[in-house]
Amino acid sequence: MNTAADFTATKRAGPTPNPYLAQSYNNQTHWNDAATDSTDFAVPRGHFEITPESLDMVPNDSVGLPSVSDSVDGQQITWWWAGYSLRKLRSDGDRLVEIARTEVPVRLRNYAPVSAARRVEQAEEVRNFLDAGDEPGLLGYMQAQPNRMLTAASDQAAAGAVYAVLTRENAFIGCNGRQVFRIDQVDPKDPASAMQPAHIVTLAETLFDNERVRNHTRHRHDTTFGMGMSFNGHLVINTFGGKVLTLNRQTLELIDVWNGTAADEMFMNSFATGPECGGGAVYVASNSTMYRLVVGPDGKIRDDEASGAWAAGYDRGTLMPAPKIGDGTGSTPTLMGFAPGEDQLVVITDGAQKMRLVAFWRNDIPAGWQQRPGTASPRIADQIRVEMGPGIDTVQSEQSVAIYGDDAFVVNNIRPEDTPMLSTESFFGNMVTGATRPGPLGAAAFRWDHAQHCWTQSWARADVSSISIVPMISGPSRMAIVEGYFADGWNDRCHIGLDIASGETVMTIRSGSDPRLNGMYTPIKCDPQGRIFYGMAFGLVRLDTTKMKRIGR
């Protein structure tokens, strides 16, 4: 059986480290400032089945998404947002051990916490409903849970954290609802240090527009959402309602506000940052326009050409079925091209019914460049329709484009037409999709040609179903990884590794109907030892293939 070491590849040039963030491989929700969702760590190839000793799980308070890491005095430390608390963890042999915890106040109606043991029991009880195909029973069960299980996913935008960063001094900064919070270490140089209470700042109500959000998205309230750090040291946040904010990274004091230029402009994803424009480049996509905004040394946001800012339209399409939040792109912009001589690009998927992979020139448009036919802007270097296979006529994604070197990987998140969901809550829909009803179909890879400045599609797999997890690419293993199902195995969950060049299935980790492995909108990640880890529906999980049972595919 092949191991990751058998598939090593030349390390590709990657994004420049941000001097104001932890100097680690994983200092924010999408791994790095370029939001590449890829790594230079190898993940073993092969076909595996989870065993008790190969799975470690730290139960959460509620859906917990961001996990970030850094080396402190030679020890690898992970900070994981567990729903309503920040957990500081270290590895002790085969197990993750909690070092410290800081909680934030939970101001949700009818919420009562449950114990870690109860969270494990809840996962097993959910599994029983899924195995029985009992959606009405599952819905009633979720509604009856004291910890607001049914609304657990949507509650994170309101009261938890979806996007976060880890600063150079290992302060964890996140946002939710209409507030921003920062949790510092008591002693940043001590891996066993406790953490300080959260410093929380509530933003002014005038920054938010509920009516605008209700009119143009599936959400009812305007909130903070995406987060990043400019390379000149300013905290940046966007809101669903079309604003970009800068704040002092230490005090969280508001510095500046930039408004989207159109009345129906929304920001429904996070953004990338880069060292361009004196360290002020922010690459953010609304539902109609791709922007490079520029944060000045004073924290003021500029959108004029003289500052290096630009704006380019793209095909926003129409409002698609859930899990899409609104029209336009469903992806956080991803930067591509970092080595001398490479095209420097920023990449999204557009809003068309069958989405396109769209690459924009990140810096100056080349001299003599002619706008490509069918594109909305001369800044679009190329775009290509994402074909998933015969019969898949709707292709849209709520996930970022994973990029490593010249390779890009995307998934389809739109389910085939079936009976309406019993609940519009995303936690319920995510849990039953692929288990009690068919999931979305389609995963595909593309390659950028720097000589011809264009995309080519490498392959597509119409039998792979990725429900909501953000994919990753392991560069040395030449493998894109998702968590979901095969079309011939509903309610039989798998982590699936696909060769980035051929699309061949080169890794599977079978977990059956266990909902503990449901990624629930989280970016899938790995550690330097190649162990997959991510926060998910019921806790943080870490998977060690060296302790798994090897099986035939």
Side-chain angles (χ1 to χ4, degrees):
M1 184 66 66
N2 293 318
T3 66
D6 299 317
F7 294 90
T8 56
T10 302
K11 183 178 178 180
R12 298 301 303 265
T16 302
N18 189 320
Y20 294 92
L21 294 181
Q23 301 300 286
S24 78
Y25 66 94
N26 173 32
N27 58 24
Q28 55 200 286
T29 299
H30 284 295
W31 294 73
N32 52 50
D33 296 271
T36 61
D37 291 302
S38 62
T39 182
D40 286 316
F41 300 139
V43 175
R45 291 182 169 202
H47 303 289
F48 310 93
E49 187 171 276
I50 290 177
T51 57
E53 61 271 20
S54 67
L55 169 64
D56 190 20
M57 173 182 163
V58 182
N60 59 17
D61 315 310
S62 184
V63 172
L65 278 70
S67 61
V68 290
S69 308
D70 196 13
S71 177
V72 183
D73 195 27
Q75 289 192 43
Q76 281 294 316
I77 304 296
T78 294
W79 290 263
W80 166 54
W81 183 254
Y84 306 117
S85 62
L86 181 64
R87 315 283 183 89
K88 183 178 180 179
L89 308 169
R90 64 176 172 83
S91 184
D92 186 3
D94 296 338
R95 298 301 171 198
L96 291 164
V97 177
E98 183 176 311
I99 301 169
R101 179 186 304 196
T102 293
E103 298 182 348
V104 298
V106 182
R107 298 185 177 91
L108 295 169
R109 294 169 53 189
N110 303 317
Y111 172 81
V114 300
S115 67
R118 180 62 188 139
R119 287 297 280 158
V120 175
E121 291 172 354
Q122 285 181 328
E124 188 60 32
E125 288 160 2
V126 167
R127 181 178 192 165
N128 292 337
F129 285 107
L130 296 177
D131 287 346
D134 184 3
E135 289 190 7
L138 177 61
L139 178 59
Y141 170 82
M142 289 182 174
Q143 290 170 327
Q145 298 309 297
N147 55 333
R148 290 174 57 103
M149 182 185 289
L150 180 62
T151 59
S154 54
D155 283 346
Q156 282 305 294
V162 177
Y163 292 98
V165 298
L166 187 68
T167 71
R168 188 73 179 248
E169 60 274 22
N170 292 148
F172 182 96
I173 307 178
C175 61
N176 61 54
R178 300 183 177 184
Q179 64 183 22
V180 188
F181 63 90
R182 175 181 169 122
I183 300 174
D184 281 273
Q185 310 304 299
V186 172
D187 182 357
K189 296 181 181 179
D190 180 5
S193 170
M195 296 186 292
Q196 297 182 11
H199 170 55
I200 303 173
V201 171
T202 300
L203 300 172
E205 292 290 319
T206 53
L207 295 173
F208 301 94
D209 187 343
N210 287 338
E211 183 178 1
R212 183 172 178 167
V213 170
R214 281 195 294 265
N215 288 341
H216 301 291
T217 76
R218 298 185 189 281
H219 286 234
R220 294 187 56 79
H221 303 286
D222 191 4
T223 67
T224 59
F225 194 54
M227 173 175 284
M229 185 78 72
S230 70
F231 276 62
N232 54 13
H234 298 286
L235 187 66
V236 186
I237 294 173
N238 62 8
T239 70
F240 277 118
K243 291 182 173 63
V244 177
L245 319 177
T246 50
L247 299 90
N248 182 294
R249 68 181 186 276
Q250 300 285 352
T251 66
L252 308 184
E253 179 183 2
L254 182 67
I255 299 172
D256 199 17
V257 180
W258 181 88
N259 289 282
T261 56
D264 62 347
E265 205 159 15
M266 305 285 125
F267 291 118
M268 293 171 282
N269 306 280
S270 194
F271 47 85
T273 58
E276 300 85 5
C277 306
V282 176
Y283 299 91
V284 60
S286 74
N287 54 336
S288 64
T289 307
M290 180 71 227
Y291 292 98
R292 178 164 82 178
L293 301 176
V294 177
V295 178
D298 57 358
K300 300 294 184 180
I301 304 169
R302 295 165 172 81
D303 60 8
D304 59 292
E305 188 175 339
S307 297
W310 51 258
Y314 67 90
D315 185 357
R316 65 189 296 179
T318 59
L319 181 62
M320 303 293 292
K324 285 297 294 290
I325 300 171
D327 64 348
T329 183
S331 60
T332 292
T334 305
L335 306 188
M336 183 180 198
F338 303 100
E342 291 185 342
D343 292 336
Q344 295 184 340
L345 309 168
V346 54
V347 179
I348 62 171
T349 53
D350 71 10
Q353 179 173 336
K354 186 176 284 188
M355 68 186 186
R356 304 175 188 88
L357 187 62
V358 185
F360 301 81
W361 296 111
R362 198 157 81 233
N363 295 307
D364 293 336
I365 298 173
W369 177 259
Q370 297 295 313
Q371 182 173 347
R372 291 194 185 274
T375 61
S377 168
R379 186 162 286 279
I380 294 177
D382 193 31
Q383 62 185 30
I384 186 172
R385 190 81 64 180
V386 176
E387 298 288 350
M388 291 298 187
I392 305 178
D393 299 322
T394 299
V395 179
Q396 265 293 321
S397 181
E398 265 297 304
Q399 316 310 331
S400 295
V401 181
I403 287 177
Y404 186 85
D406 302 333
D407 295 301
F409 178 77
V410 297
V411 295
N412 177 33
N413 291 138
I414 303 298
R415 301 186 303 270
E417 290 295 329
D418 56 8
T419 55
M421 284 285 178
L422 300 182
S423 171
T424 58
E425 285 294 340
S426 54
F427 189 92
F428 177 83
N430 192 298
M431 199 60 72
V432 301
T433 300
T436 61
R437 59 178 67 204
L441 295 172
F446 296 80
R447 191 164 180 83
W448 183 261
D449 186 326
H450 292 277
Q452 300 298 318
H453 316 299
C454 67
W455 293 112
T456 55
Q457 183 159 349
S458 303
W459 51 266
R461 288 285 298 270
D463 63 328
V464 170
S465 179
S466 179
I467 309 304
S468 71
I469 203 162
V470 182
M472 65 164 279
I473 297 175
S474 167
S477 301
R478 303 297 297 149
M479 181 168 62
I481 303 173
V482 299
E483 186 273 331
Y485 303 91
F486 289 103
D488 61 355
W490 301 123
N491 203 33
D492 189 5
R493 305 194 77 93
C494 270
H495 293 77
I496 303 169
L498 303 171
D499 185 279
I500 198 67
S502 69
E504 177 189 358
T505 302
V506 291
M507 182 198 75
T508 55
I509 301 175
R510 183 173 176 269
S511 53
S513 59
D514 191 345
R516 293 180 299 169
L517 281 298
N518 185 315
M520 197 64 69
Y521 305 103
T522 306
I524 191 168
K525 296 184 177 182
C526 72
D527 65 12
Q529 290 74 43
R531 294 173 295 196
I532 291 172
F533 75 91
Y534 56 97
M536 36 60 78
F538 294 96
L540 180 75
V541 293
R542 188 174 69 176
L543 304 174
D544 188 346
T545 56
T546 66
K547 297 178 173 60
M548 292 182 185
K549 176 184 178 181
R550 290 189 178 272
I551 59 175
R553 167 72 182 102

